């Protein structure tokens, strides 16, 4: 039996004195920087009629929206023990070192920030979102790469040639091997059960594919709602599909039928919204690039 690749990286990229800089944090930083640079490029092309300072404000508010929205949403829907922390341990919201961020919550945070910013600058909300949407997949892909480096959010057991061993899943491996002799043999021979590298699947689809499609589509002016709709539709479909090979959060498990996960439930509205927005774009106006 060929030895699969073992996902065992040091989550700390480097030290600055006593401060540890983690790869996951670097991925977030690179995502923000990349989105900022690409956003400024699109602004100079006249794709959103605002100043550089105004765009910087949008980036700052969006960053806050991702952090606050992602954390609050995780605590409401994914936190072990449910939302009782609100009255039993409200300070748990701020214990970010324990982990826990949600994409769907971060998306809501960005939507709120973009709505408020658009209102201040008298822009149509969806003109702003059509501008922002192609910039987001870069951060999504890098975030999933950070998950992979951390050896977290692994997939289900697989006999695919590219399946990998995740040492952090050892406890789960032992439980599975207890009931399945074939998996017990793999655990004994390989030191772990090969699994789908679901983080890399998400990096490829939510990051590379979505970025390529949205960037190419938005290279020339498109009707309002189209780019935002494609973003919602693609992310919802990709996330829903990958959940079939990704192990659900242990504190939640499957919600129904032995396969439905919280990630799938929260992705369904995105699919519906995406279809509606794409349909609306057929009769929507196109924002004409500002001439400098």
């Amino acid at each position: 039996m060929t030895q699969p690749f073992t996902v065992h990286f040091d989550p700390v990229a480097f030290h600055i004195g006593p401060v540890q800089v983690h790869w996951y944090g670097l991925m977030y930083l690179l995502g923000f920087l990349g989105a900022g640079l690409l956003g400024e490029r699109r602004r100079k092309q006249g794709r959103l009629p605002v100043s550089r300072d105004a765009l910087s404000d949008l980036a700052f508010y969006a960053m806050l929206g991702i952090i606050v929205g992602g954390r609050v949403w995780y605590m409401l829907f994914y936190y072990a023990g449910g939302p009782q922390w609100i009255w039993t341990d409200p300070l748990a919201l701020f214990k970010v070192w324990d982990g826990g961020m949600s994409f769907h919550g971060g998306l809501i945070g960005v939507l709120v920030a973009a709505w408020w910013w658009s209102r201040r600058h008298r822009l149509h909300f969806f003109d702003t979102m059509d501008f922002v949407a192609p910039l987001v997949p870069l951060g999504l892909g890098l975030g999933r790469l950070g998950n992979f480096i951390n050896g977290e959010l692994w997939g289900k057991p697989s006999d695919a040639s590219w399946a990998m061993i995740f040492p952090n899943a050892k406890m789960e491996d032992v439980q599975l091997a207890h009931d399945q002799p074939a998996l017990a043999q793999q655990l004994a021979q390989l030191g772990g059960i090969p699994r789908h590298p679901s983080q890399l699947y998400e990096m490829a689809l939510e990051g590379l594919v979505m970025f390529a499609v949205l960037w190419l589509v938005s290279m020339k002016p498109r009707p309002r709602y189209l780019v935002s709709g494609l973003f919602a539709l693609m992310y919802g479909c990709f996330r829903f599909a990958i959940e079939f090979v990704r192990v659900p959060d242990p504190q939640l498990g499957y919600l129904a039928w032995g396969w439905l996960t919280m990630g799938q439930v929260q992705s369904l509205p995105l699919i519906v919204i995406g279809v509606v927005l794409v349909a609306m774009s057929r009769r929507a106006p196109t924002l004409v690039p500002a001439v400098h």
Side-chain angles (χ1 to χ4, degrees):
M1 186 177 296
T2 304
Q3 180 67 37
F5 178 77
T6 299
V7 182
H8 185 64
F9 299 100
D10 186 348
V12 178
F14 55 86
H15 295 76
I16 302 178
V19 178
Q20 295 182 337
V21 179
H22 289 249
W23 284 110
Y24 191 70
L26 279 179
M27 295 301 107
Y28 263 86
L29 179 61
L30 290 174
F32 285 130
L33 289 176
L37 292 173
L38 293 175
E40 175 61 14
R41 177 181 175 181
R42 285 168 59 78
R43 187 197 69 82
K44 289 181 177 179
Q45 294 172 344
R47 308 307 291 275
L48 201 64
V50 295
S51 67
R52 182 175 183 178
D53 288 342
L55 183 60
S56 297
D57 289 342
L58 174 60
F60 176 74
Y61 299 141
M63 181 175 63
L64 287 181
I66 290 172
I67 296 172
V68 175
R71 180 62 177 171
V72 171
W73 196 264
Y74 176 87
M75 295 297 291
L76 290 175
F77 293 98
Y78 291 93
Y79 189 65
Q84 289 87 346
W85 63 268
I86 297 174
W87 54 86
T88 61
D89 185 20
L91 293 180
L93 178 66
F94 303 99
K95 297 178 181 178
V96 294
W97 52 86
D98 290 337
M101 293 286 285
S102 165
F103 163 80
H104 296 90
L107 176 61
I108 292 174
V110 170
L111 293 176
V112 172
W115 172 81
W116 181 75
W117 180 88
S118 299
R119 187 173 181 181
R120 283 187 60 194
H121 292 275
R122 299 180 180 180
L123 293 172
H124 194 287
F125 169 69
F126 275 101
D127 287 341
T128 300
M129 293 313 302
D130 287 343
F131 177 87
V132 170
L135 312 178
V136 177
L138 181 62
L140 289 177
L142 288 171
R144 294 310 182 190
L145 179 58
N147 293 143
F148 178 73
I149 293 173
N150 284 347
E152 59 191 6
L153 305 182
W154 50 77
K156 296 178 181 179
S158 169
D159 57 3
S161 60
W162 58 85
M164 302 178 185
I165 292 175
F166 292 87
N168 293 340
K170 189 63 175 287
M171 185 178 299
E172 186 180 300
D173 288 347
V174 172
Q175 293 174 347
L176 290 174
H178 184 267
D179 301 321
Q180 302 182 50
L183 296 182
Q185 182 180 4
Q186 288 184 327
L187 180 60
Q189 292 183 347
L190 304 175
I193 296 175
R195 295 172 174 273
H196 285 286
S198 53
Q199 316 95 323
L200 298 184
Y201 300 167
E202 292 188 85
M203 181 185 75
L205 293 176
E206 300 168 10
L208 297 176
V209 173
M210 283 184 59
F211 176 77
V213 172
L214 294 176
W215 189 262
L216 289 173
V217 168
S218 64
M219 285 182 68
K220 66 178 184 178
R222 299 290 184 177
R224 182 179 292 155
Y225 310 118
L226 177 62
V227 179
S228 298
L230 287 175
F231 176 94
L233 180 59
M234 284 194 294
Y235 182 87
C237 290
F238 290 157
R239 178 67 183 273
F240 193 94
I242 291 174
E243 288 285 316
F244 284 111
V245 297
R246 172 177 159 179
V247 174
D249 295 82
Q251 70 273 22
L252 296 178
Y254 293 108
L255 304 184
W257 308 306
W259 59 267
L260 185 68
T261 68
M262 180 64 78
Q264 288 174 320
V265 169
Q266 295 185 0
S267 294
L268 282 174
L270 284 176
I271 297 174
V272 175
I273 291 171
V275 171
V276 171
L277 290 176
V278 170
M280 290 174 60
S281 72
R282 299 183 64 183
R283 298 185 177 181
T286 299
L287 180 65
V288 178
V291 179
H292 292 282

